[in-house]
Amino acid sequence: MDLFNHRLRLHADPSRVVVRPFHIAWGGGNGAPPSRTERLVGEVLAMTPEEARDQLETVLKDFEARHWQTRRVFMTRYDQIEDLLKLDGSKISDEKRQLIGAYFCHEYSYAAAALMNPSAVPHFDQTGIQPGSQRILMSMRAVGEGHISSVAFREGIINDQNQLRLAPEPPFATATDVHGWGDDDVPNGPVTVHRHRDSTLSGTVIFPITQAQSKGLEDMRIVQFTHDDGAVEWIGTYTAYDGAGIQSELMRTRDFRSFDLVPMTGSAARNKGMALFPRKVAGQYMMIGRQDGENLFLLKSDSLTHWDEGEKILTPVYPWELVQIGNCGPPIETDEGWLLLTHGVGAMRKYSIGAALLDKNDPSKVLGRTKQPILAAKDQDREGYVPNVVYSCGAIRHGDSLFLPYGIADSSIGFAFVKISELLAAM
């Protein structure tokens, strides 16, 4: 099989930073000693106007050139502190309010440790695209301080000559935000986050919001989903991790301006690596999952948000996958059936990527699978944070080829193209 590996690699970049809330225990009140929060605010309020101005100028000198609308970010953070401490902002100068906000922010390098496990879908805007080309959108798992994972995006164009051109990253990255909530009252359920109106998607990062997500949003598998009425929605399945337990959740968006983060329910939602079919099949929503950690299952549901146990359809057979198998993203529809990329774990915990073909009308029927991997960790793709791993969260069909972005050693991202006909012939 002729698999074309593109020379481009994306790597972790500690210079990519965003401003995040710096959380300090609130405490205080009801006769208790002042909390650290109250003490900090009191210290700023006690400054003379000249002292506050000098301190704010020092902060802005250090950070204003590194972030988008830094003063606005500080004021937004101040508003949250004002609500929590019941301050009277009308009696506080702009300089002091911005300085208070700055004390409750910090810089976070969201991809300092790793950039990995991408998923690709058609871009929502295909206007002006040249024949033979397609605008794409990738989600990527970015890992920063504390090994906390977030979702980053990158836009680009692919063509039928196996060429890839990525949109440049903007100088500033911005985090999505939640309107109307402070530090204590974000519900541990569905939430909606919003992209800044002036931020490009390639400069947008979705961070954990709820307690269930507090240690990471991991391995999003994004799919362009078409509903029965023809409406199109982009849906990503990902793992929310709180440091002890996991749950599967959905990211749902129609415009990539606002994103609904929705926990899934049901016995299957306790597992990682769920991948949604891009439309209903036989009148039901369907997913591929790995409910026992070793095998692949077909899940069916009448609801996008509730999933129970499914039917086992694929088990490890070949040496490169004997430890366990999983999916590498949502199934891709072809004339021959549903093309499912898989990953297998073999000896020395080496990860490889293969594929299977499922019946178009009854995906529980496996029509074929690759005896050998189509992509395996080797040479320069072996070294990294977790060596000997190649892993994808979703490929995209372009004409008669697949564009396959993939994670390398839990550290960086590579890209490959493979002919669908050759992939099917290898089964």
Side-chain angles (χ1 to χ4, degrees), residues 44-60:
V44 175
L45 293 179
M47 292 179 183
T48 66
E50 293 76 19
E51 289 172 333
R53 188 175 301 112
D54 287 346
Q55 291 301 315
L56 179 61
E57 287 179 358
T58 298
V59 172
L60 292 173

Side-chain angles (χ1 to χ4, degrees), residues 47-173:
M47 292 179 183
T48 66
E50 293 76 19
E51 289 172 333
R53 188 175 301 112
D54 287 346
Q55 291 301 315
L56 179 61
E57 287 179 358
T58 298
V59 172
L60 292 173
K61 181 179 178 181
D62 285 342
F63 296 101
E64 191 166 28
R66 292 166 60 88
H67 299 284
W68 184 259
Q69 298 188 355
T70 309
R71 293 171 184 264
R72 183 193 65 82
V73 172
F74 290 166
M75 289 296 283
T76 298
R77 189 65 175 133
Y78 165 79
D79 290 341
Q80 296 170 344
I81 303 303
E82 179 182 278
D83 289 342
L84 285 163
L85 299 186
K86 312 302 182 187
L87 302 174
D88 185 356
S90 66
K91 298 180 180 179
I92 304 174
S93 68
D94 281 352
E95 287 87 356
K96 288 187 176 182
R97 285 188 288 168
Q98 289 179 43
L99 187 57
I100 289 170
Y103 273 106
F104 294 92
C105 291
H106 72 119
E107 220 176 39
Y108 185 80
S109 181
Y110 63 90
L115 193 65
M116 60 186 187
N117 299 356
S119 180
V121 287
H123 198 282
F124 54 89
D125 180 9
Q126 297 292 335
T127 57
I129 204 73
Q130 296 296 316
S133 298
Q134 180 177 190
R135 191 171 287 120
I136 64 164
L137 169 65
M138 290 191 303
S139 68
M140 304 172 292
R141 179 178 172 183
V143 185
E145 177 187 351
H147 203 75
I148 295 175
S149 297
S150 56
V151 179
F153 298 99
R154 197 69 183 269
E155 298 155 293
I157 295 175
I158 56 176
N159 67 19
D160 52 13
Q161 302 300 311
N162 295 341
Q163 293 176 327
L164 164 67
R165 186 172 75 252
L166 294 180
E169 286 186 306
F172 303 105

Side-chain angles (χ1 to χ4, degrees), residues 212 239-247:
T239 302
Y241 178 55
D242 66 3
I246 62 170
Q247 72 176 25

Side-chain angles (χ1 to χ4, degrees), residues 335-397:
D335 292 339
E336 293 80 4
W338 295 102
L339 184 57
L340 176 67
L341 294 180
T342 64
H343 70 261
V345 183
M348 290 295 291
R349 196 173 174 259
K350 179 181 177 180
Y351 276 67
S352 303
I353 295 176
L357 186 67
L358 310 180
D359 186 86
K360 199 165 186 176
N361 298 313
D362 182 4
S364 66
K365 296 179 180 178
V366 179
L367 304 180
R369 60 195 293 184
T370 53
K371 296 179 180 180
Q372 301 293 332
I374 63 173
L375 183 66
K378 63 178 181 180
D379 301 330
Q380 74 274 16
D381 289 350
R382 294 185 62 176
E383 310 302 337
Y385 183 63
V386 181
N388 305 307
V389 171
V390 291
Y391 191 93
S392 180
C393 287
I396 184 173
R397 181 176 183 176

Side-chain angles (χ1 to χ4, degrees), residues 120-411:
V121 287
H123 198 282
F124 54 89
D125 180 9
Q126 297 292 335
T127 57
I129 204 73
Q130 296 296 316
S133 298
Q134 180 177 190
R135 191 171 287 120
I136 64 164
L137 169 65
M138 290 191 303
S139 68
M140 304 172 292
R141 179 178 172 183
V143 185
E145 177 187 351
H147 203 75
I148 295 175
S149 297
S150 56
V151 179
F153 298 99
R154 197 69 183 269
E155 298 155 293
I157 295 175
I158 56 176
N159 67 19
D160 52 13
Q161 302 300 311
N162 295 341
Q163 293 176 327
L164 164 67
R165 186 172 75 252
L166 294 180
E169 286 186 306
F172 303 105
T174 56
T176 56
D177 58 14
V178 182
H179 296 334
W181 286 319
D183 292 64
D184 292 343
D185 55 359
V186 176
N188 202 23
V191 296
T192 300
V193 298
H194 304 268
R195 173 159 63 104
H196 188 277
R197 65 182 180 274
D198 295 325
S199 176
T200 66
L201 194 55
S202 292
T204 296
V205 185
I206 300 178
F207 280 95
I209 297 293
T210 68
Q211 179 58 39
Q213 305 166 353
S214 57
K215 296 300 181 182
L217 308 175
E218 300 181 354
D219 296 343
M220 180 176 287
R221 290 156 164 82
I222 192 168
V223 66
Q224 180 180 292
F225 188 89
T226 303
H227 291 274
D228 288 343
D229 62 0
V232 174
E233 181 180 13
W234 283 261
I235 302 176
T237 54
Y238 61 91
T239 302
Y241 178 55
D242 66 3
I246 62 170
Q247 72 176 25
S248 288
E249 298 189 349
L250 298 175
M251 181 215 74
R252 306 181 65 173
T253 183
R254 293 181 184 269
D255 57 8
F256 285 90
R257 281 288 175 185
S258 62
F259 307 83
D260 297 326
L261 307 180
V262 184
M264 287 187 274
T265 59
S267 57
R270 69 178 185 272
N271 299 290
K272 292 184 175 184
M274 299 175 71
L276 181 66
F277 282 68
R279 62 172 175 84
K280 281 184 176 180
V281 181
Q284 289 187 294
Y285 299 106
M286 292 193 184
M287 287 249 203
I288 299 293
R290 192 178 67 200
Q291 306 332 113
D292 60 1
E294 295 181 34
N295 307 286
L296 281 174
F297 291 73
L298 178 69
L299 315 177
K300 302 177 182 180
S301 179
D302 294 324
S303 167
L304 271 172
T305 58
H306 184 89
W307 297 87
D308 288 317
E309 301 302 320
E311 175 184 358
K312 186 188 298 185
I313 60 171
L314 283 167
T315 62
V317 173
Y318 302 110
W320 58 274
E321 60 182 10
L322 284 182
V323 175
Q324 68 187 47
I325 58 174
N327 72 69
C328 273
I332 298 166
E333 189 167 7
T334 69
D335 292 339
E336 293 80 4
W338 295 102
L339 184 57
L340 176 67
L341 294 180
T342 64
H343 70 261
V345 183
M348 290 295 291
R349 196 173 174 259
K350 179 181 177 180
Y351 276 67
S352 303
I353 295 176
L357 186 67
L358 310 180
D359 186 86
K360 199 165 186 176
N361 298 313
D362 182 4
S364 66
K365 296 179 180 178
V366 179
L367 304 180
R369 60 195 293 184
T370 53
K371 296 179 180 180
Q372 301 293 332
I374 63 173
L375 183 66
K378 63 178 181 180
D379 301 330
Q380 74 274 16
D381 289 350
R382 294 185 62 176
E383 310 302 337
Y385 183 63
V386 181
N388 305 307
V389 171
V390 291
Y391 191 93
S392 180
C393 287
I396 184 173
R397 181 176 183 176
H398 181 63
D400 59 357
S401 295
L402 288 185
F403 168 66
L404 172 61
Y406 61 96
I408 301 168
D410 277 9
S411 300

